[in-house]
Every structure is written in structure tokens, then in C-alpha cells.
Amino acid sequence: MEDGTRRRAKDSTPGSEVGIAIGSPRERSPPKRFSLQIEDPATYANGPLASRLASRWQGFYANKDFGNITLLIALYWLQGVPLGLAHGSIPFLLKEKLSFAQVGLFSLAGYPYSLKLFWSPFVDSLYSRGFGRRKSWIVPIQLVTACLFWWMGSHIDSLVRDPAAGIYEITYLFLAIVFLSATQDIAVDGWALTLLSEENLSYASTCQTVGINCGYFLSFTVFLALNSTEFSNKYLFSEPRDAGFLQLGPYMAFWAAIYVLVTLYLILFKTEDAPTSAEEGTYGIAETYKTIWRICRLPHMQEFIGVLLVAKLGFIPNDSTTQLKLIERGLHREDMALAVLIDFPVQIFFGYYAARWSKGPSKMRPWRIAFGLRLLCSALAMATVYYFPEDGLTTGYFYVILLTKVAGSMASTVQFVGVSAFITQIADPVIGGTYMTLLNTLSNFGGTWPVYFVMSAVDYFTRATCLLPAGMGDAFSCTAQESRTRCEKEGGTCSVHWDGYYIVSTSCILASLLLFVAFIRPAVLRLERVPTHLWRVSKEYSK
């Protein structure tokens, strides 16, 4: 068969609705309403890599949806900025002066992103038809977020300098910001389905991945490095200074300006197509909530929900506490930022291959294997804290920490892709958005609800006594960060008898292992064998 020759796997008579075309990408016929186009590997160019990349970029730039793709990346990028602060940088800054229980209190600020299902029907149903269904939410949300960022730009640094007195105010502020970001995410996800043309819908998930990860990366890794006094004095300042190059207040004020600029572009230059009458009739608040309830009543669904809510219990201490314990033991923030920087491409790489491993009849098999690996990595991470060098971090030990973190992230990525593939398989296409949002919300919530209790338990089970020099006073408990700081100021030594971190981590790992053997693994094996039609919800389902 000659190169460039097009062959049809289905009749291509005029008016045909479906076709499969095989041939050179440059010789394809215009796509039909429902078409599958396969590139013939024999037609690939064998030129230099740089030329092929330039050709791919030129083709992408010429895409008719290039502007909309760029806009989606920008909107998702804005979501990643507050998430990187709330889930990454702020806990690190707070832990320097607060106890684990107080940092656990702040972790409640991240809950709205795991609960957005409960108000998503309102975002889908209430809007101004003239202004735009999605713009009706995105524009005011971004303006309110910009105002909050701008106000916090002149107040947040003073709050972070003395977080014990303002921990509730800090938590409420970031709770509001994460709530706004989660609501914006609902609107942007819905807009992506109509903003892109049918042949470019596959770019929607790419825009989300690139945008959110870039925003998160800037607000976590880059910000922590630039905020670090040691990093700034070593790489940026010609003379040592007492503060890092970038403070939290100016950083948030900068992003307030970016929020305003993007929002002005939406108001002045971006129009949104009015929803069709069919689309308007599909989204009813009451009907959506009834659909969610019907899904939860399906056979086998309760068992799957139970798996989603408890499957991450054994990983929570490692995910939420280990990095903070390493900082407490002497790991510098810039070293942790470097570890995250190296970890980032590993997640992308294994995310791609995990999608391939999750194909076939046993889509959750990679998830089950990664479960055991992730428990092992959690135990190894606990060991890296225990054996942290007393004389300070060495290069060899940093590589040990990095290897443990990368292995854990690899297992986490495989699990995420594996459960996503299974959810995609069982989701009812008639109500796919509601179905997938429900299960993804439950999966996310399974990783957030234990955080507060785990971090509070670390302090609860810790026993430590401040031993003061002779004649300086009686010994006192130094479990909390405030008492530990007082102990250091008075020249004492905080002697730890029992570290709650090891107790809580070991308990969660053992409990998770028992749950996996007794409940999670058998349940997943059963759920994989359930026929697809038994997961479906029909519109005629009795109410």
C-alpha cells in the first residue's frame, strides 16, 4: 500500500455521518460529524527533531481554536495560583511558628475544592443569558478574588509573622479564596465544552493540566525558593539580607493585577454564545440533585463510595505531615522546592504511561499495585524523618529523600489515573458530567477529610519536656510550637519522649493495610466485574 494513499474502513458516500480515514496528516479530508482519523506511521517525516517540533508548533498555532485554548490555559492558571498557596506555601510558612494542630486547622481552608459538587448545580443553572452563561460567574468571581488578593497584599505578611494570633483570620481568608477558585473551576470546566470546537475538545483536559500545574508550581516551588532568605542570599543578592527576594504580600498583589487584566479581556473582547434551548432545559437545580441521589442509590455504588472515602487514609500522614517534619528536622525550604521541581516532570511522565497501563478489563489493577507501593513509600518517608542527620542535611541524604518522594509521587499518579480510568468507564454518558463530578468529588474528599484529624493527632500523642538550665525554673511541656519557642528563648532543651508523628503514621499505615486486605482489594475486584449497564441511571428511574 503506497504512502499517502487514503483508505476507508467505512463507506464514505455523500452524506455519510461516520468515517475512518488512514493516511498522511496533510492529506486528510475535512472531518465529518463523527470521525476517527488515524495517521499512517509510514507518512511521518524523518527530519531533525527541531524541525518536527517547529512544524508541530506551527500547526498548533494555526489551529482555529488557538486563542480559546490560550484563554482556557490562562483561566486554569489563575485557579492554580491560590491552590499552590493554600496547599503548598502557606502550610510551610505557618509550620515555622505553629504546631501541627494549628496547621491542621488551616488545612480546612482546602475543603471547598473537594465539596464543590454541592453547589455546582447553581453555577450551571443561574446566569445572565445576555452576558454569558459562564462569564456570569467567572467575571464576578475573578474580580472578587482580585480584591481579596489586593487587600491581603498589604495585610498577609503581618498575619504570617505572628500566625498564632491570626490563625483563624488566615484560615477564613484562604477558605474564601479556595471557595471562589473552586466555583470558578465549575464554570470554566463547563465553558470548555462549548468554547472549543468538536474536533479540539480533547485539548480541554490538556489546558486544565498545564494551567493548574503551572499556577500551582509558581505559587509553591518558585515562590518558596524566592521567599527563602538562604536561597536569595546565595543566588540573588550580592550582599546578605534578612529577608527573601519575594514576600507573600507583593506576590499576592501582583496576581491581583493579573486577575483584573484577564477579567477586563473577558468583559471587553470575549463574547460567549448564548445557550440553546436544549442546553437550558438540561440543567435544572432540583433535577441535578435528584440525579446525584439516584446515582448514590445504584447497586454497588455504596461500596465504591466506601472505597473512595477510606482508600487514602494510610497516605495522609506522609502527604500532609512528612515534609513539615523534614523542615522541622533541618531541611531547608529551597531544598524542598528543588525536590518538588524534580518531581514535577516525573508525575507527567508516569501520568502518560499510567493511562496506557489502565486499559483493558482490569483497569484498577495498576491502582491496586500502586496502593502497596505508596504504603511502602509512606513507611520509607517516615524513616527519612527518623534518621535525618543530626549535623544537618548531606548531599547523599538529600538524594534519599528525593528518591522516596519521587517514588511516592509516581505511585500517587498511577493511582489517580487508574481510578479516573475506572470512573470514566462506569460513568453514564447520558449524565456524564454529573456522574464524574460526583465520583471525583468523593475521591478528592477521601484525601482531605482525614487531614485535620491526622495533624491534630500528631500533637495530641506527642510528649515533650523543656529541660532548663539549673536555677532557670521548672521544666514544662514543649509539645506545642509556642512552648517550644519559649524553651529555646530561655536557653532550654526540648526533650521529645514520644513523637506523635511516628505513632499516627504507623497507625494509619497499619490500618490502611488491614483495610486493603479485608475490604478495599476484595471490593475493587468485585466492582471490576460488575457489568457496565448496572452502573447506569436512566431518566425514567423511579423517584
Side-chain angles (χ1 to χ4, degrees):
M1 198 172 293
E2 296 181 359
D3 294 348
T5 304
R6 281 190 296 164
R7 291 142 290 187
R8 296 285 178 157
K10 188 153 180 92
D11 181 32
S12 57
T13 55
S16 175
E17 292 287 319
V18 182
I20 301 177
I22 305 178
S24 170
R26 300 170 186 257
E27 298 176 0
R28 297 191 192 117
S29 59
K32 299 192 175 185
R33 184 180 178 187
F34 301 101
S35 63
L36 173 63
Q37 299 174 334
I38 305 174
E39 296 183 5
D40 189 345
T43 66
Y44 289 170
N46 294 319
L49 178 61
S51 299
R52 284 182 289 171
L53 291 176
S55 177
R56 289 291 180 91
W57 168 252
Q58 184 178 7
F60 177 71
Y61 181 77
N63 191 305
K64 65 179 182 179
D65 284 335
F66 177 79
N68 290 334
I69 291 173
T70 304
L71 175 61
L72 278 179
I73 292 176
L75 294 175
Y76 282 120
W77 194 313
L78 293 181
Q79 291 177 39
V81 170
L83 294 180
L85 292 174
H87 294 283
S89 296
I90 302 300
F92 276 94
L93 298 178
L94 296 180
K95 185 58 191 73
E96 295 177 352
K97 301 178 181 179
L98 298 179
S99 65
F100 281 101
Q102 290 170 311
V103 177
L105 176 65
F106 175 80
S107 71
L108 298 176
Y111 275 37
Y113 226 85
S114 300
L115 301 173
K116 59 186 178 182
L117 171 72
F118 295 106
W119 63 89
S120 61
F122 290 91
V123 179
D124 277 330
S125 303
L126 305 177
Y127 55 90
S128 168
R129 183 180 178 88
F131 189 64
R133 179 177 185 175
R134 308 303 177 181
K135 286 173 58 179
S136 296
W137 287 90
I138 295 173
V139 167
I141 284 173
Q142 291 190 168
L143 289 177
V144 173
T145 305
C147 292
L148 270 175
F149 266 54
W150 185 260
W151 183 87
M152 292 175 69
S154 57
H155 293 81
I156 192 64
D157 285 327
S158 60
L159 291 173
V160 172
R161 275 195 294 269
D162 185 20
I167 182 61
Y168 287 99
E169 185 176 355
I170 296 172
T171 302
Y172 293 147
L173 287 170
F174 276 94
L175 180 69
I177 287 175
V178 173
F179 173 79
L180 292 170
S181 180
T183 307
Q184 183 202 24
D185 181 63
I186 298 169
V188 174
D189 284 347
W191 200 8
L193 299 177
T194 57
L195 194 62
L196 300 179
S197 56
E198 186 176 344
E199 62 268 25
N200 288 321
L201 275 179
S202 60
Y203 284 114
S205 59
T206 303
C207 294
Q208 184 180 40
T209 301
V210 172
I212 291 182
N213 281 327
C214 286
Y216 193 98
F217 177 73
L218 279 179
S219 290
F220 185 17
T221 305
V222 175
F223 172 76
L224 273 186
L226 297 180
N227 181 257
S228 168
T229 305
E230 294 83 359
F231 180 88
S232 300
N233 286 333
K234 185 176 181 179
Y235 296 106
L236 301 177
F237 296 148
S238 57
E239 297 181 0
R241 302 184 185 180
D242 296 332
F245 175 80
L246 182 61
Q247 299 305 303
L248 184 57
Y251 181 79
M252 298 190 74
F254 167 79
W255 281 107
I258 299 299
Y259 268 94
V260 172
L261 290 176
V262 174
T263 307
L264 288 177
Y265 171 80
L266 291 177
I267 296 173
L268 299 176
F269 303 105
K270 190 63 184 177
T271 59
E272 182 180 357
D273 295 335
T276 63
S277 56
E279 290 175 333
E280 289 183 312
T282 303
Y283 298 92
I285 297 176
E287 182 60 31
T288 302
Y289 282 117
K290 290 178 182 178
T291 300
I292 292 172
W293 176 243
R294 292 200 298 269
I295 293 173
C296 293
R297 293 176 57 193
L298 284 174
H300 319 292
M301 183 56 69
Q302 292 88 348
E303 190 172 31
F304 188 40
I305 291 174
V307 170
L308 294 178
L309 291 180
V310 302
K312 298 179 182 179
L313 178 62
F315 321 132
I316 299 301
N318 181 37
D319 294 346
S320 63
T321 311
T322 295
Q323 295 183 82
L324 300 178
K325 290 293 294 186
L326 288 171
I327 295 291
E328 185 180 277
R329 294 296 302 271
L331 183 69
H332 296 298
R333 278 187 284 157
E334 61 269 21
D335 295 326
M336 184 57 68
L338 177 60
V340 175
L341 173 64
I342 298 174
D343 182 50
F344 181 69
V346 173
Q347 294 188 41
I348 297 177
F349 176 82
F350 276 97
Y352 168 75
Y353 280 100
R356 300 179 61 181
W357 298 334
S358 298
K359 294 180 180 179
S362 183
K363 293 185 181 297
M364 293 284 280
R365 184 172 182 271
W367 184 91
R368 296 194 303 271
I369 296 174
F371 189 101
L373 177 59
R374 201 170 172 189
L375 279 183
L376 175 62
C377 290
S378 297
L380 292 176
M382 183 170 53
T384 62
V385 175
Y386 185 81
Y387 292 105
F388 195 92
E390 296 291 339
D391 298 331
L393 182 68
T394 63
T395 302
Y397 204 80
F398 174 74
Y399 289 140
V400 172
I401 294 174
L402 180 62
L403 181 62
T404 304
K405 179 173 178 54
V406 168
S409 295
M410 176 194 71
S412 176
T413 302
V414 172
Q415 278 204 300
F416 173 78
V417 175
V419 76
S420 297
F422 183 70
I423 290 173
T424 303
Q425 179 191 35
I426 67 175
D428 191 338
V430 177
I431 50 168
T434 301
Y435 209 119
M436 294 186 68
T437 301
L438 168 65
L439 294 180
N440 285 324
T441 297
L442 291 170
S443 180
N444 292 334
F445 188 63
T448 55
W449 73 262
V451 173
Y452 171 76
F453 303 101
V454 165
M455 300 190 78
S456 298
V458 170
D459 277 353
Y460 179 80
F461 289 107
T462 297
R463 297 291 181 270
T465 303
C466 179
L467 303 177
L468 297 173
M472 295 295 293
D474 296 331
F476 57 88
S477 173
C478 56
T479 299
Q481 187 63 38
E482 298 91 336
S483 57
R484 189 170 301 178
T485 303
R486 173 193 162 194
C487 181
E488 294 176 357
K489 288 182 178 179
E490 296 183 8
T493 301
C494 189
S495 176
V496 179
H497 310 297
W498 292 95
D499 193 331
Y501 165 74
Y502 303 112
I503 298 173
V504 173
S505 295
T506 302
S507 300
C508 287
I509 291 173
L510 292 177
S512 186
L513 184 60
L514 290 174
L515 280 171
F516 181 74
V517 174
F519 169 63
I520 295 175
R521 184 178 182 275
V524 169
L525 290 174
R526 286 193 298 270
L527 294 171
E528 284 182 328
R529 294 193 294 267
V530 174
T532 304
H533 71 272
L534 293 182
W535 298 94
R536 300 295 188 242
V537 175
S538 64
K539 292 184 178 180
E540 292 78 17
Y541 191 88
S542 60
K543 300 177 179 54

Short mmCIF file of all heavy atoms in Angstrom, two decimals, residues 362-383:
data_model
loop_
_atom_site.label_atom_id
_atom_site.label_comp_id
_atom_site.label_asym_id
_atom_site.label_seq_id
_atom_site.Cartn_x
_atom_site.Cartn_y
_atom_site.Cartn_z
N SER A 362 -9.15 -5.06 33.41
CA SER A 362 -8.83 -4.82 34.82
C SER A 362 -8.19 -3.44 34.96
O SER A 362 -6.99 -3.31 35.18
CB SER A 362 -7.88 -5.90 35.35
OG SER A 362 -7.63 -5.72 36.72
N LYS A 363 -9.01 -2.40 34.83
CA LYS A 363 -8.50 -1.03 34.83
C LYS A 363 -7.91 -0.62 36.18
O LYS A 363 -7.07 0.27 36.25
CB LYS A 363 -9.61 -0.06 34.44
CG LYS A 363 -10.08 -0.20 33.01
CD LYS A 363 -11.10 0.86 32.66
CE LYS A 363 -11.59 0.69 31.22
NZ LYS A 363 -10.51 0.86 30.26
N MET A 364 -8.35 -1.25 37.26
CA MET A 364 -7.89 -0.87 38.59
C MET A 364 -6.68 -1.68 39.05
O MET A 364 -6.21 -1.50 40.18
CB MET A 364 -9.03 -1.04 39.60
CG MET A 364 -10.18 -0.07 39.40
SD MET A 364 -9.80 1.59 39.98
CE MET A 364 -10.08 1.39 41.74
N ARG A 365 -6.17 -2.56 38.20
CA ARG A 365 -5.01 -3.35 38.60
C ARG A 365 -3.79 -2.46 38.89
O ARG A 365 -3.13 -2.64 39.91
CB ARG A 365 -4.67 -4.39 37.54
CG ARG A 365 -3.53 -5.32 37.93
CD ARG A 365 -3.37 -6.47 36.93
NE ARG A 365 -2.31 -7.38 37.34
CZ ARG A 365 -1.04 -7.24 37.00
NH1 ARG A 365 -0.68 -6.23 36.22
NH2 ARG A 365 -0.13 -8.10 37.42
N PRO A 366 -3.45 -1.49 38.02
CA PRO A 366 -2.34 -0.58 38.38
C PRO A 366 -2.62 0.18 39.68
O PRO A 366 -1.69 0.43 40.44
CB PRO A 366 -2.29 0.38 37.18
CG PRO A 366 -2.90 -0.36 36.06
CD PRO A 366 -3.97 -1.20 36.68
N TRP A 367 -3.87 0.53 39.93
CA TRP A 367 -4.24 1.22 41.16
C TRP A 367 -3.94 0.35 42.37
O TRP A 367 -3.41 0.82 43.37
CB TRP A 367 -5.72 1.58 41.11
CG TRP A 367 -6.22 2.39 42.26
CD1 TRP A 367 -6.27 3.75 42.36
CD2 TRP A 367 -6.75 1.89 43.49
NE1 TRP A 367 -6.80 4.14 43.57
CE2 TRP A 367 -7.10 3.01 44.29
CE3 TRP A 367 -6.97 0.62 44.02
CZ2 TRP A 367 -7.66 2.89 45.55
CZ3 TRP A 367 -7.51 0.49 45.29
CH2 TRP A 367 -7.86 1.62 46.04
N ARG A 368 -4.27 -0.94 42.29
CA ARG A 368 -4.02 -1.85 43.40
C ARG A 368 -2.52 -2.04 43.65
O ARG A 368 -2.08 -2.06 44.80
CB ARG A 368 -4.69 -3.21 43.15
CG ARG A 368 -6.21 -3.15 43.06
CD ARG A 368 -6.80 -4.56 43.15
NE ARG A 368 -6.29 -5.46 42.13
CZ ARG A 368 -6.82 -5.61 40.92
NH1 ARG A 368 -7.90 -4.89 40.59
NH2 ARG A 368 -6.31 -6.46 40.06
N ILE A 369 -1.76 -2.17 42.58
CA ILE A 369 -0.31 -2.33 42.73
C ILE A 369 0.30 -1.07 43.33
O ILE A 369 1.14 -1.12 44.24
CB ILE A 369 0.34 -2.65 41.37
CG1 ILE A 369 -0.16 -4.01 40.86
CG2 ILE A 369 1.86 -2.64 41.47
CD1 ILE A 369 0.30 -4.34 39.45
N ALA A 370 -0.12 0.09 42.84
CA ALA A 370 0.40 1.36 43.34
C ALA A 370 0.00 1.60 44.79
O ALA A 370 0.71 2.32 45.51
CB ALA A 370 -0.08 2.51 42.46
N PHE A 371 -1.12 1.02 45.22
CA PHE A 371 -1.54 1.16 46.61
C PHE A 371 -0.46 0.62 47.55
O PHE A 371 -0.07 1.28 48.52
CB PHE A 371 -2.86 0.41 46.82
CG PHE A 371 -3.50 0.66 48.16
CD1 PHE A 371 -4.56 1.54 48.28
CD2 PHE A 371 -3.06 0.00 49.31
CE1 PHE A 371 -5.16 1.78 49.51
CE2 PHE A 371 -3.65 0.23 50.55
CZ PHE A 371 -4.70 1.12 50.64
N GLY A 372 0.01 -0.60 47.26
CA GLY A 372 1.05 -1.19 48.09
C GLY A 372 2.35 -0.40 48.02
O GLY A 372 3.03 -0.20 49.04
N LEU A 373 2.72 0.05 46.82
CA LEU A 373 3.95 0.83 46.68
C LEU A 373 3.86 2.14 47.44
O LEU A 373 4.83 2.59 48.06
CB LEU A 373 4.20 1.10 45.19
CG LEU A 373 5.42 1.98 44.87
CD1 LEU A 373 6.71 1.35 45.40
CD2 LEU A 373 5.53 2.22 43.36
N ARG A 374 2.67 2.74 47.43
CA ARG A 374 2.50 4.02 48.11
C ARG A 374 2.57 3.85 49.63
O ARG A 374 3.10 4.71 50.34
CB ARG A 374 1.16 4.63 47.71
CG ARG A 374 1.07 6.13 47.93
CD ARG A 374 -0.17 6.68 47.30
NE ARG A 374 -0.37 8.08 47.67
CZ ARG A 374 -1.48 8.77 47.39
NH1 ARG A 374 -2.46 8.18 46.72
NH2 ARG A 374 -1.57 10.03 47.75
N LEU A 375 2.04 2.74 50.14
CA LEU A 375 2.17 2.46 51.57
C LEU A 375 3.64 2.26 51.94
O LEU A 375 4.11 2.75 52.98
CB LEU A 375 1.37 1.22 51.94
CG LEU A 375 -0.13 1.39 52.18
CD1 LEU A 375 -0.74 0.05 52.62
CD2 LEU A 375 -0.43 2.46 53.20
N LEU A 376 4.38 1.55 51.09
CA LEU A 376 5.80 1.33 51.33
C LEU A 376 6.56 2.66 51.34
O LEU A 376 7.40 2.89 52.21
CB LEU A 376 6.37 0.39 50.27
CG LEU A 376 7.89 0.15 50.32
CD1 LEU A 376 8.28 -0.51 51.65
CD2 LEU A 376 8.34 -0.71 49.14
N CYS A 377 6.23 3.53 50.38
CA CYS A 377 6.89 4.85 50.32
C CYS A 377 6.55 5.69 51.54
O CYS A 377 7.39 6.47 52.02
CB CYS A 377 6.48 5.58 49.04
SG CYS A 377 7.17 4.86 47.54
N SER A 378 5.34 5.54 52.06
CA SER A 378 4.96 6.28 53.27
C SER A 378 5.81 5.82 54.45
O SER A 378 6.25 6.63 55.27
CB SER A 378 3.47 6.07 53.57
OG SER A 378 2.67 6.60 52.54
N ALA A 379 6.04 4.50 54.55
CA ALA A 379 6.89 3.98 55.62
C ALA A 379 8.34 4.44 55.45
O ALA A 379 9.01 4.81 56.42
CB ALA A 379 6.81 2.45 55.65
N LEU A 380 8.83 4.43 54.21
CA LEU A 380 10.21 4.89 53.96
C LEU A 380 10.35 6.38 54.25
O LEU A 380 11.38 6.82 54.76
CB LEU A 380 10.59 4.60 52.50
CG LEU A 380 10.74 3.12 52.13
CD1 LEU A 380 11.02 2.97 50.64
CD2 LEU A 380 11.85 2.47 52.95
N ALA A 381 9.32 7.16 53.93
CA ALA A 381 9.36 8.60 54.21
C ALA A 381 9.43 8.84 55.71
O ALA A 381 10.15 9.75 56.17
CB ALA A 381 8.14 9.29 53.62
N MET A 382 8.69 8.02 56.47
CA MET A 382 8.77 8.14 57.93
C MET A 382 10.19 7.84 58.41
O MET A 382 10.71 8.49 59.32
CB MET A 382 7.75 7.19 58.57
CG MET A 382 7.69 7.27 60.08
SD MET A 382 6.28 6.33 60.77
CE MET A 382 6.53 4.72 60.03
N ALA A 383 10.84 6.88 57.76
CA ALA A 383 12.22 6.54 58.13
C ALA A 383 13.18 7.67 57.81
O ALA A 383 14.15 7.90 58.54
CB ALA A 383 12.65 5.26 57.42
#
